[in-house]
Amino acid sequence: MKLIRLSEIDSSMIDLVGGKAAGLGEMIKAGERVPDGFCLTVESYASRDLPEKEVIAAYERLGGGRVAVRSSATAEDLPDASFAGQQDTYLNVEGAGPLTGAVRDCWESLHTERAVAYRAAAGIDEAAMAVVVQRMIDPVTAGVLFTANPVTGCRTEVVIDAAPGLGTAIVEGTVVPDHYVLGHRSPDVPDGEGCLSRAQLEELRAAGLRLQEHFGTPQDVEWAIDADGTLWLLQSRPVTTLFPAPPRTQDTRLYLELGHIQGMLRPATPMGVSLLKLAAGQWFKVAGARVDPRDPMPRLVTIGGRLYFDLTDFMRSASVRKRLGASLEVYGPRVQSAVERMLDDPRFAPRPGLPFRLGTMARGTVIFLPRAIAGLVSSLARPDAARLQAYRGIEEIRRQTAGPAEPATTTERLRWVIQDSHRAVMTIDMAGIVWPLMAGMIAGTAPSALLAGVATDEELDTVLGGMPHNVTTEMDLALWRLAMNAREHRELFLGTPPDELAARYRAGELPDIGLAGFLEKYGMRAAAEIDVGMPRWAEDPAPLLASIANYLRVDDPEQAPDRRFARAAAKAEAMVETLSRRARRARPVRGRLAAFLLRRSRKLTGLREIAKFAWLPALQAARRQLLLVGADLAERGLLERGDDIMFLDLVEARAAVLHGADHRALAAARRAEYERELRRPTVPGALLSDGTDVEALAPRGPVEDGVLTGMAGAAGRATGRARVIRDPSGAHIEPGEILVAPTTDPGWTPLFMTAAGLVTETGSPVAHGPTVAREYGIPAVICVRDATQEIRTGQLITVDGSAGTVRLEEDGG
């Protein structure tokens, strides 16, 4: 079938007629007023045979005259990719010759550079082109309508832009349109001003909401009103830029994104979320809380694959909300200010009561407080012994999380994951690790208050540089030693792609540089490693081999990471002595306490990474067992492939193992959704339940030309070429370049070893990125909005980690 009327098309025919034509056919079937027309299907495009006689006959049946000739690619107007403006449209086409020429031009527009690049960015390999021909409308007014606010994400607002004449002027940005924002359920529509009357606004709103109801998702609608006042709908497609909506609730809720604290903005797998909730629920149960086994963490909500915390009850608590703003400093200034603005919103007005049960708090205090006092005092009094205790705790956790005894059945493997995989780590003190860790955090942060007016922030940051006993820093330096072992094979490691090097390693064909020993200790790590769905380095060492190649590019011995770390450590030790003397002279009592804590910080504060490190053996062991479970389910035909198990939750996995539930379609749909979310460039830090990105409501402050403002992460200044990286896997960074990234976690830190500075879009001063940056003595600026879009690779920038600014330099080359 090469030609078909629009009125005969529905959404099931998208592979034949493309996204635009399928949408138009659905609009007609829904009873909407759409200009009459026909579609030349992809069969004609595929054969490169234009049936001119049939096209001209169909054109004459429309009555001839002026028509619009519009592309309708099979990859167009999809739920996750609109392709707006990527292929061509021709208006006011009149006559048989111009019509067939416009059709051929539409075909060719599928292969323009911009369309090919857009498909590549959207992860779409191939597309075919159908062409829509429609009778032209002579509009008095035209424009676009969104059934959700495309700027803020609010799902309860309709946004209408209107201008005289053709709507293309709005789409192309050549006019300033009249702009209207209407509530979905507002009883009254304001008097129209400019192009549209009140009645027309109401008619447009109603049409948009009908289309949203029909298609089941917010819509981007093109429309026109002719000289008779008749409304015509020209196109409707999903609003693809919206962040996924939170779960529906009875009242307005505020959700706080948690991933950026851990340096994780990518979506989590469903199994990752399920196991995380299970593990957290086990700890809270040990700590005396009542836990619902069906949902151990009800305030932890998954939105767009990201983990959000429901902060609403804390916002509304009269006794808690006063201290809420200060407690959110670790989330960075953007999120903190967003939440503080919401405190003035009447929807979060204070109410009596607490967001938790007093009985739970009392039980937790009885269990926790005596242990905490004893553990903290002991750790501060005997820091070396406390540190050794923490290391012994890691080994004990490793020993107890080896997995079920072999041979094990699939049922036994899944039962072990659910009941036993986290038993050793989710104790009240994590096998003795918590108290040295907390003592180190106190020793690292308390001097700031004690030395107010005596020491600058930059001096206190210097104290935290070159911090020993940090498992992530130790890992990075161990990787540097592997690179030194690889120097005699430099050409091999520099000239071979990381994936190929990894394949050679697995085949036993790579020179022995000590990688096996490294993976024995650190192979449980990965980017986004708190997600059990993520492959570990032990499974795929390609990212490590890419880092080794980066290190082999270091030519200046003084820039060697071990020397940089040693210099930062020496500066820190010297600063401790300087501040100790200065503090004792200025404030004898407080100065002595500050000096004591400064010295203790050098022995304990490096342990701040150890809690998550201690958790990783449980995650790695659980992952091994889950993959074996998945392999069995795939063999039984209940999953397509073994690692599809990561796109189920634990309840669904149990249903498959025990009852034979077929989850192939479910896992495939979730995998596709996950891969779409991987391409999302930004994630809201604070989100309302109606979909509103709270940060988008904030007015932008004054900005100096050429300067991006963020938050101080690690002191110092550096000027260098930017290297924008969005995924650390296989990433390359030259010595002296400044790493610009959306976020960082321990999976990124090997890149720091050759970087001159760090810029991230999210984060917290206590997150992994700035922590490790301080320890290498490189400046870091965090929470720089849209940094990966504002800065381009190769651009000369200056990072001021004390002021929290990034200057885009004038660059002659």
Side-chain angles (χ1 to χ4, degrees):
M1 184 187 301
K2 292 189 176 181
L3 208 70
I4 183 171
R5 291 186 62 184
L6 290 180
S7 59
E8 297 171 355
I9 293 172
D10 61 39
S11 60
S12 69
M13 303 167 70
I14 190 169
D15 290 339
L16 179 66
V17 301
K20 185 176 280 119
L24 290 168
E26 283 290 329
M27 292 163 69
I28 294 170
K29 284 192 165 24
E32 302 297 342
R33 188 180 295 106
V34 175
D36 195 12
F38 62 89
C39 176
L40 186 66
T41 71
V42 299
E43 289 183 3
S44 181
Y45 169 83
S47 66
R48 307 304 290 182
D49 176 27
L50 177 59
E52 293 191 14
K53 289 182 180 179
E54 291 92 332
V55 169
I56 293 169
Y59 169 62
E60 290 174 348
R61 284 194 297 272
L62 284 180
R66 293 175 299 111
V67 293
V69 182
R70 312 170 72 194
S71 64
S72 182
T74 54
E76 195 169 345
D77 292 358
L78 302 179
D80 58 325
S82 71
F83 277 77
Q86 300 307 310
Q87 279 87 225
D88 287 345
T89 290
Y90 300 92
L91 303 179
N92 294 310
V93 176
E94 187 169 8
L99 172 60
T100 56
V103 169
R104 287 192 171 93
D105 288 341
C106 275
W107 282 358
E108 293 305 315
S109 72
L110 188 67
H111 305 290
T112 62
E113 184 176 345
R114 70 173 186 267
V116 171
Y118 187 98
R119 287 198 297 275
I124 297 170
D125 296 326
E126 297 180 0
M129 176 69 80
V131 177
V132 170
V133 178
Q134 282 180 286
R135 186 167 57 82
M136 277 293 299
I137 301 298
D138 285 323
V140 173
T141 307
V144 293
L145 175 156
F146 294 89
T147 63
N149 192 314
V151 175
T152 67
C154 180
R155 300 310 203 276
T156 60
E157 292 178 343
V158 170
V159 176
I160 300 171
D161 282 350
L166 293 171
T168 51
I170 294 177
V171 175
E172 293 165 358
T174 57
V175 299
V176 178
D178 293 341
H179 183 71
Y180 308 89
V181 179
L182 313 176
H184 276 201
R185 297 180 180 87
S186 298
D188 295 317
V189 173
D191 287 326
E193 295 180 0
C195 294
L196 298 176
S197 68
R198 176 185 292 182
Q200 288 170 328
L201 286 172
E202 177 56 61
E203 185 180 15
L204 279 165
R205 180 176 71 173
L209 294 180
R210 287 196 306 270
L211 289 171
Q212 176 171 285
E213 178 70 21
H214 179 79
F215 287 107
T217 186
Q219 295 291 295
D220 167 2
V221 183
E222 293 182 18
W223 55 270
I225 297 175
D226 65 19
D228 296 327
T230 302
L231 172 63
W232 296 89
L233 301 182
L234 309 179
Q235 179 171 300
S236 187
R237 62 187 173 212
V239 185
T240 60
T241 56
L242 294 175
F243 191 72
R248 292 195 175 191
T249 56
Q250 295 298 316
D251 62 349
T252 302
R253 315 291 295 179
L254 176 65
Y255 302 102
L256 196 65
E257 200 274 327
L258 298 179
H260 74 275
I261 290 292
Q262 289 291 334
M264 180 178 167
L265 285 186
R266 64 183 296 143
T269 61
M271 185 60 74
V273 175
S274 185
L275 194 61
L276 174 64
K277 284 196 167 195
L278 175 81
Q282 289 179 353
W283 187 88
F284 278 106
K285 190 173 181 179
V286 170
R290 293 193 183 98
V291 175
D292 183 348
R294 294 168 299 180
D295 188 359
M297 295 285 289
R299 284 197 175 100
L300 197 62
V301 178
T302 307
I303 308 172
R306 280 78 178 184
L307 295 172
Y308 281 80
F309 182 78
D310 186 346
L311 198 66
T312 310
D313 294 339
F314 296 83
M315 297 279 289
R316 291 175 176 159
S317 171
S319 55
V320 172
R321 70 196 319 263
K322 301 171 189 174
R323 295 178 288 277
L324 199 54
S327 69
L328 294 175
E329 286 183 2
V330 296
Y331 286 87
R334 286 165 41 198
V335 172
Q336 183 185 22
S337 62
V339 173
E340 287 175 339
R341 282 194 303 276
M342 285 294 103
L343 287 172
D344 295 327
D345 190 303
R347 292 172 293 181
F348 299 101
R351 302 176 183 176
L354 293 168
F356 40 77
R357 296 186 182 94
L358 284 175
T360 298
M361 283 293 295
R363 285 192 300 273
T365 301
V366 169
I367 294 170
F368 201 77
L369 189 59
R371 292 178 174 86
I373 293 172
L376 292 173
V377 170
S378 173
S379 297
L380 290 170
R382 303 176 60 221
D384 295 330
R387 198 171 57 250
L388 291 175
Q389 172 189 322
Y391 292 149
R392 284 195 298 270
I394 292 175
E395 293 308 313
E396 181 61 20
I397 290 169
R398 279 182 182 265
R399 187 185 68 78
Q400 292 189 41
T401 53
E406 297 292 348
T409 66
T410 298
T411 301
E412 289 167 341
R413 295 187 193 285
L414 185 59
R415 184 185 300 122
W416 182 86
V417 170
I418 295 171
Q419 296 181 1
D420 298 326
S421 63
H422 283 68
R423 192 184 299 276
V425 68
M426 291 303 166
T427 62
I428 193 69
D429 63 353
M430 292 184 68
I433 290 169
V434 165
W435 314 127
L437 164 65
M438 291 180 65
M441 292 176 68
I442 291 170
T445 57
S448 176
L450 292 170
L451 297 177
V454 176
T456 67
D457 290 342
E458 189 165 349
E459 288 173 327
L460 291 168
D461 264 356
T462 300
V463 171
L464 300 176
M467 189 70 74
H469 316 304
N470 184 317
V471 288
T472 300
T473 308
E474 290 169 348
M475 174 194 75
D476 292 340
L477 292 173
L479 190 60
W480 168 256
R481 290 191 289 273
L482 293 191
M484 296 304 94
N485 296 342
R487 280 182 296 188
E488 60 182 292
H489 309 287
R490 189 173 187 272
E491 297 308 317
L492 170 66
F493 283 90
L494 285 176
T496 308
D499 288 341
E500 186 178 330
L501 288 171
R504 290 194 191 185
Y505 171 74
R506 287 189 288 266
E509 299 170 357
L510 201 65
D512 183 8
I513 61 171
L515 184 56
F518 180 93
L519 291 175
E520 178 66 26
K521 186 170 184 179
Y522 298 112
M524 59 190 176
R525 306 212 78 164
E529 61 197 5
I530 63 170
D531 180 0
V532 74
M534 290 297 293
R536 310 287 118 173
W537 286 340
E539 300 168 57
D540 179 15
L544 300 175
L545 293 161
S547 293
I548 288 171
N550 283 340
Y551 298 167
L552 290 172
R553 295 183 176 93
V554 177
D555 296 322
D556 181 357
E558 291 305 308
Q559 293 306 309
D562 52 353
R563 293 196 185 184
R564 289 168 65 182
F565 183 80
R567 286 198 300 270
K571 284 178 64 177
E573 296 288 355
M575 184 59 68
V576 167
E577 294 306 315
T578 298
L579 294 181
S580 296
R581 288 193 298 270
R582 189 191 303 167
R584 285 195 297 267
R585 286 196 303 269
R587 299 171 182 167
V589 176
R590 292 174 65 181
R592 288 181 184 279
L593 178 57
F596 170 81
L597 291 173
L598 286 170
R599 293 194 172 93
R600 284 297 185 264
S601 75
R602 301 297 301 172
K603 291 179 177 290
L604 292 173
T605 302
L607 296 176
R608 58 192 152 202
E609 300 276 324
I610 203 170
K612 193 171 79 164
F613 188 76
W615 182 18
L616 295 178
L619 287 172
Q620 184 183 37
R623 178 175 169 81
R624 288 194 192 110
Q625 299 304 316
L626 286 168
L627 289 173
L628 290 170
V629 171
D632 179 68
L633 294 177
E635 190 174 324
R636 292 163 56 187
L638 304 176
L639 291 175
E640 289 293 340
R641 44 196 265 196
D643 63 351
D644 277 352
I645 188 78
M646 300 305 171
F647 295 95
L648 307 179
D649 62 29
L650 288 167
V651 173
E652 293 158 349
R654 183 191 286 128
V657 170
L658 298 182
H659 307 298
D662 185 343
H663 288 318
R664 286 175 294 182
L666 176 64
R670 286 183 178 164
R671 184 186 286 274
E673 180 184 357
Y674 175 84
E675 290 173 353
R676 285 197 300 269
E677 284 300 317
L678 282 175
R679 297 191 292 271
R680 185 175 297 281
T682 58
V683 176
L687 197 65
L688 294 181
S689 50
D690 65 7
T692 300
D693 177 353
V694 179
E695 287 185 60
L697 301 176
R700 292 291 184 97
V703 177
E704 183 182 348
D705 286 346
V707 176
L708 306 179
T709 302
M711 183 180 187
R717 285 171 59 91
T719 299
R721 301 286 173 187
R723 175 71 65 170
V724 180
I725 297 176
R726 292 181 174 83
D727 187 335
S729 300
H732 170 101
I733 186 166
E734 294 284 348
E737 289 183 326
I738 294 173
L739 173 60
V740 181
T743 186
T744 59
D745 72 356
W748 288 76
T749 57
L751 294 172
F752 292 15
M753 305 273 277
T754 51
L758 171 68
V759 179
T760 65
E761 294 180 331
T762 65
S764 154
V766 299
H768 304 286
T771 294
V772 176
R774 287 192 292 267
E775 291 173 3
Y776 289 143
I778 64 175
V781 179
I782 60 176
C783 300
V784 180
R785 191 181 180 99
D786 300 330
T788 60
Q789 300 171 51
E790 298 285 346
I791 301 170
R792 67 180 188 278
T793 293
Q795 189 171 14
L796 191 67
I797 63 176
T798 295
V799 175
D800 189 330
S802 301
T805 60
V806 180
R807 181 175 293 278
L808 311 181
E809 301 290 355
E810 295 291 333
D811 186 5

